[in-house]
Amino acid sequence: VGLRAHAQAYMYAESGGSRTEPRAKLFDLEQRVRHDLHGWLSTHLRSGAAGRRDAAFLGLDPSHPFEVHGARFAHRAGPDGNIEPQLLVSLLQQVPVPIDPADPAGGTMAFEGGCTIVADLWHRRIRYCIRKHVGSVDRLRRQQAFAARTAAATARLYFAGHPDDAGEPFAALHRGV
């Protein structure tokens, strides 16, 4: 992936190595890092038992596409006062699922999962991984219930009775009655 070269270039641009266009350079570097990480992860997460194990750790389903939503380098002061270079990565995955599991032909919703990773570049290890697993059945049920309630409330708002009704729904205001 060449993260070391990306990190050095990023740190150089961030420190004002070239004061003419540091923001543009940082943007381009971040895009390259995101692209490189996505390419490597896409291959790795589909490459056997180790890839499936890492996908589960990251909260991803390797059979669905994902996005490297963010990737940036940072300096953090360690407990000993030394500067520790870090890589912060956000991975996002959206899986289409039915709003009502009993009615698969009904509407669908995007069920999101993924993680934020804080990687220690000095020791080459993951310090933190905060994840919302796309395979979490309990979280999926809660979000499906919320989506069903929201859809019902929106339907009542738009498609309730005549404007003389006490609720005065939004749709009634726009149908010229």
Side-chain angles (χ1 to χ4, degrees), residues 33-147:
V33 170
R34 288 171 50 200
H35 179 267
D36 290 351
L37 276 172
H38 187 271
W40 181 80
L41 280 170
S42 293
T43 302
H44 174 67
L45 297 179
R46 291 184 180 101
S47 66
R52 286 190 301 277
R53 188 174 52 249
D54 289 345
F57 175 79
L58 296 173
L60 302 174
D61 179 344
S63 66
H64 291 280
F66 67 94
E67 173 185 342
V68 178
H69 194 67
R72 66 180 215 83
F73 296 95
H75 291 109
R76 178 183 158 284
D80 58 0
N82 289 326
I83 299 299
E84 298 177 2
Q86 294 182 330
L87 175 62
L88 311 171
V89 178
S90 298
L91 305 176
L92 178 66
Q93 186 171 55
Q94 293 183 342
V95 178
V97 296
I99 292 174
D100 182 358
D103 182 16
T108 62
M109 62 178 244
F111 182 57
E112 293 184 344
C115 63
T116 298
I117 301 165
V118 178
D120 179 343
L121 294 177
W122 188 257
H123 296 100
R124 300 179 72 169
R125 65 184 174 93
I126 293 177
R127 290 184 55 96
Y128 304 102
C129 180
I130 303 117
R131 65 188 152 270
K132 296 280 187 177
H133 202 291
V134 79
S136 171
V137 175
D138 291 335
R139 197 166 64 84
L140 173 61
R141 285 187 187 135
R142 288 192 310 270
Q143 287 193 9
Q144 285 172 318
F146 176 79

